[in-house]
Amino acid sequence: MLKRLFLKNWKSFRYAELPLYPLTVLVGTNASGKSNLVEAFEFLKRIVDGHQIETALGGDKILAPIRGGVSWAALKPEREFTLKALVRGEGEQIDYLYGVTVGTKPDAMILEEKITCREYQRDKKTIIFERDFVTSYVDSKCDRKNILKIATHHKNARWTLPSNNKSILTYFKNTYVLDNVSEVNHVIENLEKIYIFNPIPAKMRDFSQLSKTLESDASNLAGVIAGLSSRKQEEVENTLLEYARGLPAGNILKVWAEPVGRYASDAMLYCEEEWTNGQVQEIDARSMSDGTLRFIAILTALLTVPERSQLIFEDVDNGLHPSRAELLARMLYEIGRKRQIDILVTTHNPALLDAFGADIVPSVVVVHRDITTGESRLTRLQDIESLPKLMVTGALGQLTTEGTIEKSLGNEKIDRQREKK
């Protein structure tokens, strides 16, 4: 599982570190950089899945581009960016740091990749040993060839790779070179478990093919549920009913998906609603509300991604009535803990922030712009010096609505600048 994300010259960030918790909440005003942060995870996911760098940034006929494509991937006027992910190791005192540096001009290409082993003292914080055991870099002295160096207790060797258009992680997956190096496989497996979801109700209303993995827009929602084994499908549908029952004004009695058509290769989502007069009505996804479909999609993602994944929802409460915020918060907490899934959400909803309760404060990260440079920054909520005073004046949701947190961060910077003078 991922412990921390590092960004250098990525989009609107000069440098930032994002700590990751079982439930991480990102808050910030519009254009603060929240989406840029989510897209950093998207880029890492794409390159470990084998996409070329230019495609990972600029998209193709199938893959949507990351906003701004190659041209805006690096903070202007920089020509390269670096992303790093700290991966929790097999033991409590070992982690692995994966880093990739990408040049954007004149062409999009990987300039350097590393996998570093970190060993800590018993406090799990103080580093006592650090070693790069996999390094790949562009050798400008040798016709810009991509050189791979491996230095572990298994091997100590050097290769010239055919291309620097793809991540070395893809090379490892497709060759025998590191079959016996469990550390590299561990890093790959954890990066592959990054899942980013932004359910789009309009794409969930049609029939969808039976599938094993939920698409990022949840367009194959029905196909995923209907494609589960009988035992897993029953478990998922029961859990869907448990949480979705109190969502609409009417009482939901059942939520399910089933194959349809002559060849039973497609599926449709259905539910039964009961109203106060006792009338029971069966409807399919074509007549379900946007909020209900998004809620079911989020639930399905939580229930079907592999355990120990990093699950990311942007604007998780979009389309959900504030009165249902407590239900959503409880669902994220309970299922995430039960299935050992780390969850990251972005939100503007004060009702949801209040629903998380005071216990969420250590896991809230504020995304904000530097008032002088305009660069995006990350600040843990509990690291704001004036937080105790702010919390006395109102709940977290109220502080967010009034913009008090961002104002406080700006004031603290002004105070520090005055102290320096």
Side-chain angles (χ1 to χ4, degrees), residues 234-274:
E234 181 180 4
E235 175 189 337
V236 167
E237 290 178 353
N238 287 340
T239 307
L240 287 174
L241 176 60
E242 175 187 348
Y243 288 99
R245 179 181 283 117
L247 187 64
N251 184 33
I252 291 182
L253 300 177
K254 186 178 180 182
V255 179
W256 78 100
E258 63 183 43
V260 295
R262 176 177 296 181
Y263 302 105
S265 59
D266 294 325
M268 174 57 76
L269 181 71
Y270 302 89
C271 78
E272 283 184 356
E273 294 181 350
E274 182 183 33

Side-chain angles (χ1 to χ4, degrees), residues 8 19 55 61 96 106 115 135 148 202 207 214 216 223 228 237 244 268 282 307 313 365 380 400:
K8 181 180 179 182
T55 301
K61 293 181 179 179
Y96 303 109
I115 300 178
T135 304
L148 171 62
F207 300 96
L214 191 63
S216 61
L228 297 170
E237 290 178 353
M268 174 57 76
E282 180 181 304
E307 292 188 356
F313 296 106
V365 178
R380 291 197 311 166
T400 303

